[in-house]
Amino acid sequence: MIYIIMGVSGCGKSALGAFLSEKLGWPLHEGDHFHPPGNVEKMARGEPLTDQDRLPWLFRLHEVIERERCSRSDALVACSALKRLYRQILLHGSKALDSSSGPGRDVLPPTHPDVCFLFLHGNYDLIQQRMVARRGHYMKADLLRSQFDILEPPSEGENVLPLDVSRSMTDMATEVQKHNARPEPSISS
């Protein structure tokens, strides 16, 4: 199973990822480490990223996800994945861009059975307080509003497990472990 831990900046993706990685013994691929230097510099200046800025980053993460899927490994990936298109790119790479541009294009499945989005959600004030309190991260709290503005919460059809960030880390991890203990879906080739 691949769990993509998603949500706005400051919601706890990295913290939950590290916690789950230790509990489950799975590798964690921290999305922040895959940003091109220009993206990091832009965010550090307080400038929101555009879709064009995000594309190389999303393609790199898609490659990581595909590598883990092809090896049938369990893994965690922390990535904001704020828009449906971003989630489609994570799952399908450049095919997601081809299918999103016009009628008559192939419609891609909204998910893979072996990939689940863990959607960390919470109210703006709580997450903003967390962002202000954290130190040493290039993403400034001023950019949180822009993330909430573009957020397209995943639909049920996207194989999502919503997790309220007002709950404890242990509670959220227990819910993920219960989800993971369910019988494995069959994966069609």
Side-chain angles (χ1 to χ4, degrees), residues 83-167:
K83 292 183 177 182
R84 186 174 193 280
L85 176 60
Y86 302 167
R87 296 186 292 275
Q88 288 291 288
I89 292 169
L90 291 173
L91 296 173
H92 303 289
S94 61
K95 292 178 194 169
L97 296 177
D98 297 338
S99 74
S100 69
S101 55
R105 299 286 185 173
D106 292 337
V107 177
L108 298 171
T111 192
H112 295 302
D114 57 342
V115 177
C116 180
F117 290 97
L118 302 178
F119 175 40
L120 304 187
H121 63 90
N123 76 47
Y124 178 87
D125 292 334
L126 172 63
I127 294 172
Q128 202 262 347
Q129 286 172 4
R130 289 179 179 182
M131 283 188 78
V132 168
R134 74 180 179 181
R135 299 285 177 250
H137 196 279
Y138 57 80
M139 181 74 162
K140 305 297 181 214
D142 303 1
L143 292 176
L144 182 60
R145 178 53 59 199
S146 70
Q147 293 221 325
F148 268 89
D149 288 346
I150 68 166
L151 176 64
E152 296 171 2
S155 66
E156 280 185 33
E158 290 184 78
N159 196 16
V160 61
L161 178 62
L163 298 168
D164 186 335
V165 299
S166 66
R167 296 172 55 203

Side-chain angles (χ1 to χ4, degrees), residues 17 21 25-29 68 73-77:
S21 178
W26 296 5
L28 169 64
H29 302 281
E68 294 288 5
S73 299
D74 295 316
L76 303 156
V77 176

Side-chain angles (χ1 to χ4, degrees), residues 3-59:
Y3 282 117
I4 300 174
I5 307 166
M6 61 158 294
V8 298
S9 186
C11 70
K13 297 181 295 289
S14 298
L16 181 62
F19 193 82
L20 287 170
S21 178
E22 187 170 315
K23 276 188 112 31
L24 300 172
W26 296 5
L28 169 64
H29 302 281
E30 175 54 65
D32 287 345
H33 299 156
F34 291 85
H35 271 295
N39 284 6
V40 174
E41 292 165 12
K42 194 171 183 179
M43 289 183 283
R45 289 190 306 265
E47 298 174 38
L49 298 179
T50 65
D51 287 351
Q52 282 306 116
D53 294 328
R54 288 184 176 95
L55 286 177
W57 172 63
L58 293 167
F59 288 139

